[in-house]
Amino acid sequence: MATEAFDACVVGSGAGGGAAAWSLARAGLRVLVLERGPHYVAKDFFHDELAVCRRDFFVPDPSRDPHMVSREGGGAERSADGWIACCVGGGTVHMSGYFFRMHREDFRGWPISFDDLEPFYEEVEREIGVSGAGVPGEPRRKAHPLPPLLAHPAARLIEEACAKMGLRAFPIPRAIVSGDYRGRQACTYCGFCGSYGCEVDAKSSTLATFLAAAQRTGGLTLRAGCRATRIVPERGRAGAVLYLDGRGRERRARARAIVVACSAIETARLLLASAVANSSGLVGKGLMFAALGAGYGRFPRDSPAWSRAADRLPFIDRALQDLPGAARGTILFQRPHPNPIFQAEKLAWNRSGPPAFGADLKRRLREFFLETHTVEWESFSEFLPHDGCDVSLDPSVKDAAGHPVARVRIGLHPASLAGSDQLAARAREVLSAAGALRQGESGDERVYTVLQSGTARMGADASTSVVDAACQSHDLKGLFVADSSSFCSSGSAPFTLTIMANAMRVAAGIAGRMRRREL
Amino acid sequence: MLFDPRGHLESLGRLGRRGLIGWIALAALARKVRAQAAPTDTVAVLDAAAARILPSEDGPGAREAKVGRFIDRELQGGLSALRPAFEQLARLLDLWSQKAFGKPFTMLAPVDQDSVLGKLARGQIPVRGFPQQAMFRGLHTLTLEGFLSDPVHGGNDGEVGWRAIGFPEPHLRKPGSGHGH
């Protein structure tokens, strides 16, 4: 078997893997990054909803590489749920890029605090380019490096409605560059962010930022189409990663540090399949997502907020956070995603009974596309871990390479649902105050599986956690986790920025240990 | 009962961003449904059914967008695993139309086609073991996809679907075409 040696081997190239790879390469280390998906570049991204969002451009075909998913105690079935984009840059390629810091109170139960992450938050925002105007209640020493993106005039409606209620709506900080930044072109306001790759690299994915910078150091070896299959301890240390290359040949990469960052579900699967780092028995337990709410308000077509000229501004980009009298969480106001099939499906959805068809469906399409304007809201709030939500190895189903797939149990704690409902009520009050003609729900999904965490928690006690505060395995020296698997709470806002900041912290720790010859 | 469709119904209800899972669940169903001798013209029946999901009264519908052509291409291409399930669906629609109205589905008056589809959508056609609601949702999804996807996939003929909903602005259609505004 072909064997190579590196200082560090990073498995996964998304938010955590990409940030860690850059930090390690910058420290002068020889870094191998293994990414199971393809290496798309900006010119590969195009606006084709069917091909990009509804087939297997980003996520594996579940007939070959499924997750076996059961919801709320139901039977397990093949699904693409819980996969984050499999390509160089991972989920950061097709994210919307809502880049919040966690707040001090979000770190309750973690072995680290906000202050431990603060310098890394600052560094990530500066390195990749985050556009914003600060966040009320979000501690920061330095302003966002770029001003907010241009907002659609409907943002004013939201701001004024919130002000009437004594609330302050603020621009959503976004990992999209509002001006030319470090050789990258400013956003062109096409609106195809979430679910798509950015064809001008204005989105601050790890593909466009950290990995590109890591390649410039000369220390990065980036291998796409390579699927890690096992971590093999050697002499009581992390040792080596076995992987299948693009041609399906098994190869071995030895490294002083192995950094796993495959997303909370796939990281847990890899650790379980390798039978490492699990003396606590907690790998895969405590899986968390984000509690989600979603709805919309329709506004009159002739409202001055929706001028023809403004139609080219896709973002309302206003947020509320930590509202008095509601569970901690974040409400985002946006214009609808420019995906007509997705919109039509939501329009046809009925709370009970089959989707609308015929004249009823055409009426709903007309109302949405031609007769009104729409403001949508989404809420993200704390997802409490519980026994009915975890990752294990499926006892029988194998992936295309013949390895056991992840079995994922998804369930929402009643308290998480109640908290989410409180936010939904506040969002509806805002849209009423803003003059919505009519409001509704956007479906019955209350678990946002793209934000996943908690399957390899950090903690001081080896019997109640999987990794230590440095995100190194309690059991196996040299084995680190650099994605949201290590998180001890889901927080109250989308946490991609926190994954990056923590990965930078973990990588800085690894580089320090190597300098001191502890690894 | 040939099979228990409960789990599949669940996943088929969750379309949208995760549309793929519905199709995969259907592929599993397709393997379980026994093939019957089928003198039904599958594409003609699905085309006629799509034309009731998005009718052409009051503006263009599935027919003008050539949704039937889109469905045919998908079931021969990326979704070929689902073809047997949709052949079964077309067969069921024909058989029930014959029984209830004395004619095959494509020969029914639109109001009777609507009645057959309404029964299918609610799982009320008296046939054991056929996942009616799931298949209706699948057909519904394919119809929306055929009406509103990029014409390169065979539907949305001449962008008739996009024009019907005023979408998208020309500068949004392809990357590269709208930069610099």
Side-chain angles (χ1 to χ4, degrees):
Chain A
M1 189 191 311
T3 301
E4 294 169 286
F6 296 86
D7 295 319
C9 174
V10 180
V11 186
S13 67
W22 176 73
S23 179
L24 294 166
R26 178 181 57 168
L29 302 174
R30 290 167 305 126
V31 181
L32 171 68
V33 171
L34 299 173
E35 166 55 53
R36 62 175 282 149
H39 192 162
Y40 297 127
V41 294
K43 69 176 166 49
D44 295 322
F45 300 131
F46 57 120
H47 300 175
D48 181 330
E49 183 184 4
L50 189 82
V52 176
C53 309
R54 304 179 65 84
R55 299 294 187 259
D56 60 355
F57 187 82
F58 280 125
V59 294
D61 176 347
S63 69
R64 291 166 44 83
D65 289 311
H67 285 155
M68 295 303 292
V69 173
S70 67
R71 286 177 177 266
E72 304 292 353
E77 58 183 60
R78 280 175 185 264
S79 172
D81 271 11
W83 277 108
I84 312 294
C86 294
C87 61
V88 172
T92 67
V93 170
H94 74 353
M95 67 181 176
S96 297
Y98 299 134
F99 260 39
F100 295 90
R101 296 177 175 195
M102 283 193 181
H103 294 189
R104 289 188 186 283
E105 7 343 6
D106 290 318
F107 292 93
R108 262 198 299 263
W110 296 47
I112 61 169
S113 70
F114 174 85
D115 295 324
D116 294 315
L117 277 188
E118 214 275 338
F120 298 101
Y121 276 135
E122 212 167 272
E123 187 172 21
V124 171
E125 288 169 351
R126 186 176 67 241
E127 286 301 322
I128 69 170
V130 175
S131 302
V135 173
E138 185 182 277
R140 64 171 51 248
R141 292 181 302 195
K142 288 197 177 134
H144 282 110
L146 287 151
L149 291 158
L150 293 177
H152 187 278
R156 286 273 303 280
L157 285 183
I158 300 302
E159 286 170 357
E160 288 163 10
C162 291
K164 275 189 243 172
M165 296 166 58
L167 303 171
R168 183 171 155 218
F170 58 90
I172 302 173
R174 298 200 65 178
I176 296 174
V177 293
S178 57
D180 293 349
Y181 194 73
R182 298 194 172 188
R184 284 160 56 214
Q185 182 189 336
C187 175
T188 59
Y189 296 93
C190 76
F192 286 76
C193 311
S195 309
Y196 292 87
C198 178
E199 68 270 12
V200 298
D201 274 346
K203 191 192 288 182
S204 303
S205 65
T206 56
L207 173 70
T209 62
F210 284 129
L211 290 165
Q215 280 183 312
R216 288 194 292 272
T217 68
L220 174 69
T221 303
L222 173 59
R223 299 233 169 102
C226 289
R227 185 191 299 232
T229 56
R230 202 146 59 89
I231 294 158
V232 186
E234 292 180 356
R235 295 187 299 276
R237 302 168 43 101
V241 177
L242 297 186
Y243 67 99
L244 298 171
D245 69 12
R247 295 189 191 158
R249 293 173 306 198
E250 189 163 64
R251 303 175 67 134
R252 178 194 295 261
R254 301 190 65 242
R256 288 189 285 158
I258 292 171
V259 183
V260 185
C262 314
S263 81
I265 290 171
E266 286 299 306
T267 287
R269 192 203 63 79
L270 181 59
L271 296 179
L272 290 168
S274 306
V276 296
N278 198 20
S279 66
S280 65
L282 293 175
V283 171
K285 307 280 191 255
L287 172 64
M288 296 177 286
F289 297 104
L292 180 77
Y296 62 83
R298 305 268 190 255
F299 290 79
R301 196 78 182 176
D302 56 6
S303 156
W306 272 274
S307 70
R308 189 89 187 120
D311 217 33
R312 294 225 168 161
L313 293 170
F315 309 126
I316 291 176
D317 261 356
R318 288 298 177 271
L320 288 171
Q321 233 177 14
D322 298 346
L323 303 161
R328 299 192 59 240
T330 305
I331 302 172
L332 307 181
F333 296 93
Q334 280 295 18
R335 294 184 68 193
H337 199 287
N339 265 354
I341 304 169
F342 176 54
Q343 296 301 343
E345 282 188 326
K346 284 197 294 186
L347 293 166
W349 177 78
N350 288 316
R351 173 153 286 288
S352 59
F357 71 100
D360 182 17
L361 174 59
K362 289 194 79 173
R363 185 188 55 72
R364 296 185 193 195
L365 295 181
R366 244 189 341 268
E367 188 209 21
F368 173 80
F369 286 108
L370 301 174
E371 296 169 3
T372 60
H373 289 293
T374 294
V375 175
E376 293 186 332
W377 59 267
E378 277 183 317
S379 68
F380 299 86
S381 51
E382 180 96 30
F383 186 103
L384 300 169
H386 60 98
D387 289 344
C389 198
D390 61 12
V391 181
S392 56
L393 293 180
D394 193 89
S396 55
V397 178
K398 305 279 198 288
D399 67 13
H403 298 279
V405 305
R407 173 173 284 240
V408 186
R409 294 194 303 152
I410 299 175
L412 187 61
H413 192 285
S416 303
L417 181 62
S420 184
D421 285 342
Q422 290 169 1
L423 290 173
R426 303 313 298 274
R428 284 193 291 268
E429 286 172 36
V430 172
L431 291 192
S432 289
L437 299 169
R438 186 169 84 67
Q439 295 196 50
E441 304 160 281
S442 299
D444 55 1
E445 187 58 83
R446 302 306 296 269
V447 177
Y448 189 61
T449 56
V450 179
L451 291 170
Q452 48 185 257
S453 63
T455 54
R457 279 166 197 251
M458 58 175 119
D461 183 344
S463 66
T464 57
S465 61
V466 176
V467 296
D468 63 19
C471 292
Q472 181 171 220
S473 162
H474 289 300
D475 303 345
L476 208 54
K477 193 175 169 185
L479 177 63
F480 294 82
V481 168
D483 59 17
S484 46
S485 303
S486 68
F487 290 11
C488 304
S489 65
S490 74
S492 49
F495 53 61
T496 312
L497 171 59
T498 301
I499 298 177
M500 289 187 181
N502 187 55
M504 299 270 282
R505 183 186 68 88
V506 171
I510 293 170
R513 281 176 162 76
M514 287 199 182
R515 271 196 305 275
R516 297 190 300 271
R517 302 188 183 283
E518 293 168 17
L519 277 176
Chain B
M1 288 271 279
L2 289 171
F3 53 82
D4 176 7
R6 280 179 56 87
H8 305 297
L9 290 174
E10 170 71 10
S11 70
L12 276 162
R14 301 172 184 279
L15 296 170
R17 294 166 71 107
R18 292 177 292 113
L20 199 63
I21 55 168
W23 300 125
I24 297 308
L26 269 188
L29 285 176
R31 288 194 290 274
K32 292 177 183 170
V33 177
R34 303 252 180 278
Q36 301 174 15
T40 291
D41 180 342
T42 298
V43 174
V45 171
L46 298 180
D47 184 45
R52 296 319 301 160
I53 290 171
L54 282 174
S56 302
E57 295 116 43
D58 208 3
R63 194 137 266 162
E64 290 76 16
K66 296 202 173 18
V67 167
R69 182 174 70 184
F70 168 83
I71 293 175
D72 191 25
R73 281 194 200 173
E74 287 292 296
L75 295 181
Q76 288 185 45
L79 301 180
S80 59
L82 303 181
R83 193 165 188 97
F86 278 95
E87 285 171 351
Q88 289 290 309
L89 171 64
R91 181 71 174 148
L92 173 69
L93 292 176
D94 251 1
L95 292 173
W96 177 247
S97 300
Q98 198 74 48
K99 189 164 157 60
F101 298 100
K103 291 181 199 164
F105 184 78
T106 54
M107 304 297 284
L108 296 185
V111 62
D112 295 334
Q113 289 178 329
D114 288 348
S115 139
V116 173
L117 288 174
K119 274 196 174 302
L120 178 79
R122 288 177 181 74
Q124 291 168 349
I125 297 178
V127 54
R128 284 168 63 82
F130 190 87
Q132 298 179 48
Q133 290 152 307
M135 291 304 298
F136 175 77
R137 288 197 169 111
L139 178 66
H140 191 279
T141 296
L142 271 182
T143 303
L144 294 178
E145 289 183 347
F147 192 61
L148 294 169
S149 57
D150 192 304
V152 71
H153 300 292
N156 191 11
D157 192 48
E159 302 187 4
V160 64
W162 282 350
R163 280 187 282 118
I165 60 165
F167 180 93
E169 295 284 325
H171 74 284
L172 293 181
R173 292 182 190 177
K174 302 280 181 194
S177 64
H179 302 152
H181 64 269

